């Protein structure tokens, strides 16, 4: 993993769950929630979990205002861009608009070679269910974020109804997307309950549902 | 792919498009924003109308107008926004117009919070605005059920010429689940909308007038009785509910929407502990499923009502049960969702108390 990983994707693509899993697995320093589009999936329990693990959480809410409906980006969100000793994961809001929030850090991003922007795709989400839609969404995101996408994450799933064939269907389409945009599939996400043997493109993330569980 | 993965709000929007909604008017409010957002993008693709109005009051009055013109029309909001719409809803019911209204409930009163709640139960099931009217009100527990009921809701609204409310909470609006949009739903036998003020008078018909004002008391009384006959028909012929685990039940939970979902998990945990618990799940909360209470086994002595409010459904359960059993209540409020373990504990206390 590079020093900074930014995850983007349509809402419901699984960004937040993947961010949390990656953060815990790689013991990064900062996890930054930049989802100011939908302030719904927040939880005190998640904050406590990160604190326990020594990962600093920068929330998209004013401290102590968990139920606030206001978009909010903490000044702290810039810290990992400036302090180059820190490792961090950024979780963007859904749709291409979610990338716009990154523009404010533009002047502070001086080591682009150490930053990855990954695009998360679930082929079974109607807004990204074919190659053309995915390519259009990636280009729109790059315009909004003013940063190039550097990799793809295949999170194709139908929750408990996921089969290995469904994952491979996503992989086939993402390989085509990758060919056209010259992007690798960096991760394939498999929920821990599924035990698919693989192999899959890129590294495999064995996902546990942490956000959903802590929120519900 | 017959199933796709959808977020609740998005799924409800697409269900309405599949049901042939011709116009959507709305105003943003959390936790239902993805619904109008989806409509803003996709209604135009289908050559249909989307308007983000200047307020909730404007939105519901646009619904009133479009419904009067004979269009299939919908609005959505969340609790405080639905409260604002009540005047228009009453006018729509008074003018006998079909419309579908989605309420993705959040905590109240007032602005309350943005997390899930079932705090609008009384408002929804009593009409909500002024005068003698009710809304046929459906409370789905899953995205598939929400999609199916919304597809049918437009037919129900047309059949009764009355607004239909889809009552869900923020949990259903925000959760993700696989959904099959081609899942068949019952089709209602619908007469043509000969009453619509659609400007089409080529056939020489009389003017159609959309109105809820009747200054002559004798005429208004007849109008009120005509409306009452519709609500009586709903209560008599169109109750909807699911009985879960009832034959073997020793105690019964009554819960709707996402609370019923959590109750299902509680029932499984209870079964592992040797306690047989059934569920009455109202699918329509108006008309209330009074018939379900006559199907409860005689030996059941206790009913536990579980809601995300302070007990708004308890009165309806008491009336439907006709004082046959002890009625208990457990609820969480403020946007806090009860956990299955909490419900299990309540049932254990009640069952234990009998021993």
């Amino acid at each position: 993993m590079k020093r900074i990983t930014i995850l983007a994707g349509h809402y419901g693509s699984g960004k937040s769950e993947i961010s949390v899993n990656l953060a815990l697995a790689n013991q990064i320093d900062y996890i930054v929630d930049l989802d100011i589009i939908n302030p719904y999936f927040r939880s005190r329990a998640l904050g406590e979990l990160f604190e326990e693990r020594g990962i600093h959480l920068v929330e998209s809410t004013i401290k102590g205002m968990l139920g606030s409906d206001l978009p909010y980006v903490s000044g702290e969100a810039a810290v990992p861009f400036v302090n180059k000793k820190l490792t961090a994961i950024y979780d963007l809001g859904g749709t291409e608009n979610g990338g716009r929030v990154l523009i404010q850090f533009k002047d502070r991003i001086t080591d682009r070679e150490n930053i990855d922007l990954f695009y998360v795709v679930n082929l079974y989400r109607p807004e990204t269910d074919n190659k053309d839609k995915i390519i259009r969404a990636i280009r729109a995101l790059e315009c909004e974020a003013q940063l190039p996408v550097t990799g793809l994450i295949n999170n194709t799933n139908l929750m408990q109804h996921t089969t290995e064939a469904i994952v491979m269907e996503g992989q086939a389409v993402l390989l085509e997307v990758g060919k056209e945009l010259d992007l690798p599939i960096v991760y394939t996400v498999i929920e821990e309950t599924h035990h698919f043997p693989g192999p899959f493109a890129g590294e495999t993330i064995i996902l546990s549902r942490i956000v959903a569980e802590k929120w519900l | 792919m017959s199933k796709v993965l959808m977020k609740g709000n998005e799924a409800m929007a697409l269900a309405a498009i599949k049901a042939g909604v011709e116009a959507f008017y709305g105003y943003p409010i959390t936790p239902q924003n993805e619904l109008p957002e989806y409509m803003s993008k996709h209604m135009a693709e289908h050559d249909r109308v989307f308007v983000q109005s200047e307020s909730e009051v404007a939105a519901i009055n646009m619904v009133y107008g479009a419904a009067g013109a004979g269009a299939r029309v919908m609005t959505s909001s969340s609790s405080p926004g639905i409260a604002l719409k009540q005047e228009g809803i009453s006018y729509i019911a008074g003018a006998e117009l079909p419309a579908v209204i989605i309420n993705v409930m959040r905590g109240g009163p007032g602005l309350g919070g943005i997390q899930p709640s079932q705090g609008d139960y009384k408002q929804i099931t009593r009409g909500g605005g002024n005068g003698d009217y009710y809304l046929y009100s459906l409370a789905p527990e899953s995205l598939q059920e929400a999609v199916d009921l919304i597809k049918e809701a437009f037919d129900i609204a047309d059949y009764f010429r009355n607004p239909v409310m889809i009552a869900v909470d923020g949990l259903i609006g925000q959760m993700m689940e696989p959904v099959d949009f081609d899942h068949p739903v019952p089709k209602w036998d619908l007469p043509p909308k000969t009453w619509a003020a659609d400007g089409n008078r080529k056939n020489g018909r009389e003017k159609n007038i959309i109105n809820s004002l009747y200054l002559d008391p004798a005429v208004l009384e007849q109008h009120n009785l005509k409306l009452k006959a519709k609500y009586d028909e709903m209560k008599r012929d169109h109750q909807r509910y699911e009985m879960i685990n009832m034959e073997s039940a020793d105690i019964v939970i009554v819960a709707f929407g996402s609370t019923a979902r959590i109750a299902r998990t509680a029932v499984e945990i209870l079964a592992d502990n040797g306690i047989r618990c059934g569920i009455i799940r109202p699918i329509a909360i108006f008309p209330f499923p009074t018939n379900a209470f006559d199907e409860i086994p005689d030996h059941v002595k206790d009913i536990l009502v579980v809601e995300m409010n302070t007990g708004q459904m308890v009165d309806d359960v008491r009336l439907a049960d006709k004082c046959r059993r002890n009625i208990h209540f457990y609820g969480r409020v403020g946007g806090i969702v009860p956990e299955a373990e909490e419900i299990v504990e309540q049932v254990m206390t009640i069952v234990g108390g009998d021993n």
Side-chain angles (χ1 to χ4, degrees):
Chain A
M1 261 179 104
K2 286 191 180 165
R3 192 174 73 76
I4 289 176
T5 302
I6 306 170
L7 293 190
H10 190 71
Y11 69 77
S13 61
K15 290 177 304 293
S16 300
E17 204 71 84
I18 298 168
S19 303
V20 170
N21 274 265
L22 280 177
L24 293 173
N26 293 286
Q27 195 54 47
I28 49 139
D29 302 314
Y30 267 59
I31 180 160
V32 185
D33 177 7
L34 282 184
D35 185 352
I36 56 169
I37 292 180
N38 188 345
Y40 221 67
F41 293 94
R42 292 187 184 129
S43 84
R44 204 160 274 124
L46 206 52
E48 283 163 12
L49 174 69
F50 283 124
E51 198 174 323
E52 228 168 76
R53 302 285 295 270
I55 296 171
H56 185 69
L57 169 67
V58 181
E59 291 170 296
S60 63
T61 185
I62 299 166
K63 260 214 158 2
M65 302 271 290
L66 212 59
S68 150
D69 201 3
L70 290 173
Y72 174 77
V73 179
S74 164
E76 264 196 301
V79 171
F81 288 123
V82 179
N83 183 345
K84 299 196 167 47
K85 286 191 196 117
L86 295 174
T87 54
I89 288 174
Y90 285 77
D91 178 12
L92 297 187
T95 74
E96 54 274 20
N97 303 336
R100 201 175 302 168
V101 70
L102 287 173
I103 296 173
Q104 63 192 295
F105 305 118
K106 219 177 153 204
D107 297 340
R108 289 167 165 159
I109 299 177
T110 50
D111 59 337
R112 267 203 191 185
E113 66 283 2
N114 293 323
I115 296 172
D116 267 325
L117 171 57
F118 294 149
Y119 193 74
V120 181
V121 176
N122 179 352
L123 195 69
Y124 277 73
R125 294 282 292 136
E127 305 293 314
T128 52
D129 61 5
N130 66 43
K131 184 181 122 189
D132 291 343
K133 284 191 194 172
I134 296 166
I135 289 175
R136 222 176 301 139
I138 288 174
R139 292 201 167 125
L141 169 72
E142 288 176 327
C143 288
E144 291 280 358
Q146 307 268 301
L147 276 176
V149 170
T150 57
L152 303 168
I153 298 180
N154 179 20
N155 186 32
T156 300
N157 76 89
L158 258 182
M159 301 177 84
Q160 67 274 28
H161 304 290
T162 312
T163 60
E164 194 167 358
I166 283 176
V167 178
M168 294 312 287
E169 204 182 329
Q171 177 168 317
V173 173
L174 280 188
L175 283 173
E176 280 182 52
V177 170
K179 212 180 199 179
E180 190 151 331
L181 299 181
D182 193 22
L183 291 174
I185 297 178
V186 283
Y187 294 111
T188 298
V189 182
I190 304 291
E191 213 176 310
E192 60 185 348
T193 49
H194 284 137
H195 311 292
F196 301 142
F200 303 104
E203 279 180 56
T204 302
I205 299 175
I206 303 295
L207 188 94
S208 38
R209 291 196 163 267
I210 300 167
V211 181
E213 187 196 318
K214 296 286 183 195
W215 185 67
L216 289 176
Chain B
M1 3 174 132
S2 61
K3 279 193 173 164
V4 287
L5 193 58
M6 298 292 277
K7 189 167 192 169
N9 288 327
E10 217 183 18
M12 293 191 285
L14 181 53
I17 291 176
K18 297 259 181 198
V21 69
E22 294 167 281
F24 178 93
Y25 307 98
Y27 186 81
I29 182 169
T30 307
Q32 60 86 57
N33 285 323
E34 296 87 356
L35 204 163
E37 186 191 1
Y38 190 91
M39 289 301 201
S40 70
K41 189 169 173 197
H42 294 281
M43 285 295 268
E45 287 168 10
H46 293 82
D47 202 21
R48 300 180 195 172
V49 175
F50 167 85
V51 177
Q52 180 176 317
S53 57
E54 65 271 38
S55 72
E56 284 88 348
V57 177
I60 195 68
N61 282 292
M62 290 175 188
V63 169
Y64 183 22
R72 281 210 149 174
V73 56
M74 182 168 102
T75 186
S76 67
S77 191
S78 174
S79 307
I82 293 289
L84 277 165
K85 289 181 202 276
Q86 291 302 334
E87 180 194 56
I89 296 172
S90 173
Y91 277 52
I92 293 168
E96 292 194 85
L97 297 175
V100 174
I101 301 155
I102 297 182
N103 182 0
V104 185
M105 288 183 271
R106 58 187 248 181
L111 278 174
I114 59 170
Q115 297 294 331
S117 162
Q118 296 177 323
D120 302 348
Y121 178 88
K122 285 266 194 212
Q123 184 195 56
I124 293 165
T125 56
R126 268 64 181 168
N130 63 300
D132 271 291
Y133 78 92
Y134 295 92
L135 308 171
Y136 194 86
S137 304
L138 294 159
E141 67 162 350
S142 69
L143 300 199
Q144 185 66 56
E145 192 177 37
V147 163
D148 292 349
L149 290 178
I150 287 169
K151 280 162 73 182
E152 199 183 343
F154 286 92
D155 274 17
I156 300 172
D158 283 345
Y159 176 83
F160 287 110
R161 288 181 58 190
N162 196 77
V164 172
M165 173 77 81
I166 304 290
V168 299
D169 59 73
L171 197 63
I172 305 245
Q174 296 291 329
M175 77 192 321
M176 308 259 323
E177 263 181 342
V179 178
D180 174 6
F181 283 92
D182 299 322
H183 188 246
V185 299
K187 286 309 250 180
W188 290 52
D189 199 10
L190 301 174
K193 295 180 173 180
T194 51
W195 46 264
D198 57 3
N200 178 15
R201 295 183 60 205
K202 270 180 255 158
N203 56 8
R205 68 158 164 79
E206 286 295 297
K207 270 186 187 169
N208 281 336
I209 295 168
I210 305 299
N211 178 41
S212 70
L213 177 68
Y214 296 86
L215 289 173
D216 181 340
V219 177
L220 181 54
E221 185 177 50
Q222 286 311 308
H223 178 60
N224 284 151
L225 293 175
K226 184 184 171 201
L227 296 183
K228 180 177 182 293
K230 291 202 255 195
Y231 307 126
D232 288 345
E233 184 188 342
M234 289 178 190
K235 290 181 200 169
R236 191 185 60 237
D237 301 333
H238 299 284
Q239 295 186 13
R240 288 182 188 223
Y241 55 92
E242 185 184 356
M243 305 289 267
I244 302 155
N245 235 13
M246 197 55 72
E247 322 73 57
S248 62
D250 292 324
I251 177 167
V252 169
I253 291 173
V254 186
F256 66 94
S258 29
T259 315
R261 228 180 138 104
I262 301 161
R264 283 180 192 270
T265 311
V267 164
E268 282 168 25
I269 301 172
L270 285 163
D272 292 343
N273 289 290
I275 294 164
R276 294 176 298 186
C277 182
I279 303 174
I280 293 178
R281 179 173 78 88
I283 298 170
I285 51 175
F286 183 89
F288 193 73
T290 51
N291 296 342
F293 293 79
D294 297 332
E295 297 171 33
I296 300 176
D298 287 339
H299 65 269
V300 171
K301 295 279 177 292
D302 294 280
I303 293 178
L304 172 66
V305 181
V306 184
E307 298 177 83
M308 282 191 274
N309 58 44
T310 56
Q312 297 188 26
M313 186 170 59
V314 172
D315 292 346
D316 285 337
V317 171
R318 281 213 179 94
L319 288 169
D321 186 58
K322 299 175 194 134
C323 303
R324 283 173 281 191
R325 302 169 187 91
N326 305 313
I327 312 295
H328 310 265
F329 172 73
Y330 182 69
R332 294 302 300 265
V333 282
I336 295 172
V337 179
E339 286 182 25
E341 288 73 15
E342 298 171 41
I343 300 173
V344 168
E345 203 183 306
Q346 293 296 316
V347 171
M348 296 286 230
T349 309
I350 295 164
V351 175
D354 276 356
N355 292 339

